[in-house]
Amino acid sequence: MAKKESKPELPALPELPILRRRPAFARALGAWYGRGHRDLPWRRTPDPYRIWVSEIMLQQTRVETVIPYYQRFLERFRDVATLATAELDEVLKLWEGLGYYARARNLHRAAGILVTDHGGLMPRDLAAVNGLPGVGRSTAGSILCFAHGQRHPVLDANVKRVLLRLYAVAADKGRPPVDRWLWRAAEILVEDAPDPADHNQALMELGATVCGSGAPTCGDCPVRRWCQAHRQGRQHQIPLPRPKRATPHYTIGVGVIHNDIGDVLVQKRPADGLLGGLWEFPGGKREGREKLTETVRREIAEELGIEVSVGTKITTLEHAYTHFRITLHAYHCTHLGGTPKPRAADAWQWLPVAQLSDLAFPRANQRILELLNASDRGSSPGTYDP
Ligand code: SF4
């Protein structure tokens, strides 16, 4: 009989009040933060709208990547009302390249709720903020703590790592008992902090700069005398890496379909799925060992109900999503007949290549678009050699 796979045993979680009633810890952390930290645009404002936008953009995304997006977004959508009345297409266009597009869709939807139910203002109640689309407990706590000084814990990936090391908990961050423990630890620490906003910022800053996911630089750490992992010399082993899962790989064929006046056909992905609301060149997964040109022809016939001839290859590119990888092959195609009747798209249109840049595309499709634009053959099919 096959042996049942068992999860690694969870280490005993330490009693939480280790650092409780230790104001020296809070003072050391606060003094370190006060001596200098990164000057980030969202740290210069108490405006809950701006803090909210930054917190959503920072989910799964690096600070340096976020800054230009944040600035462009706020230049265009200066307040909740402006965001709520914008077209989702425009919001997605400004989000293009940042990834995790559900964040943009939720931000737009939540802005509508704030206008309808809260007079365009962010509520001051944790449960109400937490109830907005795309806003989890940590994001809600951040908004209320940084905007109004409310005493809520913040638990982003950096803070989780710091807490696990401070208490020498050799566990991965993804397991529910560890998560519950982390929340309790973060609550206890923020209870003792003289200034909850500075305290939360300081813990995030520590995790981002000193106690990083690579090798922590404990020699620069303001709280190393309280750190159990450092004391035990185990800071490099904590947290445990998440167990690796095999990442599925798919081979995709897509077509840049040209009509007889040189326009190109694009379709819009369904609003609520992966990459929802973004535009793309039609195509799909290869079946078995079929020829890639056949994949493109078949997928276009099945998805759109039109006939095309598949011509020269434009490019092949690799792309990784969170849970799978793709190798995408893009081909020029010529429209032979039929009016598009998409089965799995919200909209479609024929457009000159020069106008495609007005739409929001997923990253893999942006590369195809760059090649189309760079080729200077916007209205006629041709061969590209990237
Ligand atoms: Fe992180 Fe080292 Fe500081 Fe501990 S002493 S919190 S491991 S940087």
Side-chain angles (χ1 to χ4, degrees):
M1 198 165 59
K3 238 180 148 183
K4 207 175 164 192
E5 207 179 303
S6 61
K7 284 190 174 177
E9 220 169 276
L10 198 62
L13 295 173
E15 290 295 315
L16 283 170
I18 291 176
L19 294 171
R20 201 166 190 180
R21 301 191 217 299
R22 295 210 178 189
F25 172 86
R27 273 204 307 276
L29 186 64
W32 170 79
Y33 185 71
R35 280 197 296 279
H37 50 261
R38 293 169 301 166
D39 178 23
L40 305 176
W42 42 88
R43 285 181 174 165
R44 297 180 214 139
T45 177
D47 179 351
Y49 170 67
R50 287 168 181 257
I51 294 166
W52 171 41
V53 171
S54 74
E55 289 293 327
I56 299 296
M57 286 188 169
L58 286 164
Q59 289 167 4
Q60 325 252 20
T61 312
R62 296 165 60 84
V63 163
E64 307 78 56
T65 307
V66 165
I67 289 175
Y69 279 91
Y70 173 79
Q71 287 164 337
R72 279 197 298 271
F73 196 90
L74 292 176
E75 270 166 32
R76 170 63 188 89
F77 308 120
R78 63 184 184 286
D79 53 29
V80 173
T82 315
L83 177 58
T85 51
E87 291 292 327
L88 177 60
D89 275 347
E90 193 186 359
V91 178
L92 289 169
K93 182 65 190 167
L94 276 173
W95 207 272
E96 190 183 50
L98 200 55
Y100 301 100
Y101 293 90
R103 296 182 297 176
R105 297 196 300 272
N106 282 331
L107 205 54
H108 183 249
R109 197 149 66 88
I113 293 170
L114 289 176
V115 167
T116 311
D117 298 349
H118 300 280
L121 298 173
M122 183 66 70
R124 289 185 175 225
D125 170 64
L126 187 72
V129 179
N130 197 175
L132 292 169
V135 178
R137 180 178 170 188
S138 183
T139 302
S142 302
I143 295 168
L144 293 176
C145 180
F146 301 144
H148 305 302
Q150 290 186 16
R151 197 171 286 277
H152 298 297
V154 170
L155 199 56
D156 70 359
N158 286 324
V159 176
K160 287 181 181 180
R161 183 171 55 252
V162 171
L163 294 180
L164 290 176
R165 285 175 175 165
L166 276 173
Y167 290 88
V169 177
D172 78 66
K173 295 175 284 185
R175 299 178 64 180
V178 178
D179 213 50
R180 283 194 294 277
W181 180 89
L182 282 164
W183 273 110
R184 188 66 198 122
E187 275 167 3
I188 286 169
L189 288 179
V190 81
E191 276 166 21
D192 286 345
D195 180 323
D198 273 3
H199 165 84
N200 282 326
Q201 291 285 13
L203 272 182
M204 292 196 292
E205 184 80 358
L206 188 69
T209 60
V210 175
C211 194
S213 56
T217 51
C218 301
D220 300 328
C221 180
V223 294
R224 68 177 175 278
R225 59 185 273 226
W226 291 274
C227 179
Q228 299 300 312
H230 175 64
R231 184 169 298 173
Q232 298 167 14
R234 296 166 65 213
Q235 64 270 29
H236 303 285
Q237 297 153 17
I238 296 175
L240 295 181
R242 283 196 174 187
K244 278 215 163 55
R245 288 201 207 128
T247 312
H249 172 265
Y250 305 110
T251 299
I252 307 287
V254 302
V256 175
I257 308 168
H258 302 261
N259 66 11
D260 52 9
I261 58 168
D263 288 351
V264 163
L265 184 66
V266 285
Q267 64 180 15
K268 193 181 201 180
R269 293 180 64 88
D272 47 5
L274 176 74
L275 307 172
L278 298 188
W279 291 83
E280 66 178 7
F281 300 105
K285 281 182 206 160
R286 181 190 207 175
E287 283 183 1
R289 300 175 68 83
E290 76 182 341
K291 280 176 71 175
L292 282 164
T293 49
E294 174 54 19
T295 301
V296 174
R297 193 207 60 74
R298 178 185 53 72
E299 282 288 337
I300 289 170
E302 286 174 9
E303 271 189 25
L304 292 164
I306 61 173
E307 285 302 316
V308 299
S309 68
V310 182
T312 51
K313 182 177 266 196
I314 301 171
T315 189
T316 297
L317 49 92
E318 306 286 332
H319 191 71
Y321 293 92
T322 316
H323 300 299
F324 62 93
R325 293 179 301 112
I326 61 166
T327 302
L328 185 149
H329 304 266
Y331 288 84
H332 284 296
C333 296
T334 302
H335 180 225
L336 298 179
T339 302
K341 295 180 195 67
R343 285 193 339 175
D346 279 358
W348 60 273
Q349 56 183 326
W350 292 102
L351 275 181
V353 169
Q355 288 179 26
L356 293 176
S357 308
D358 296 339
L359 308 177
F361 283 87
R363 193 179 285 277
N365 278 232
Q366 282 170 37
R367 181 70 187 128
I368 301 170
L369 195 51
E370 281 166 24
L371 292 168
L372 291 175
N373 283 323
S375 74
D376 199 26
R377 300 185 195 195
S379 58
S380 65
T383 305
Y384 294 83
D385 188 10

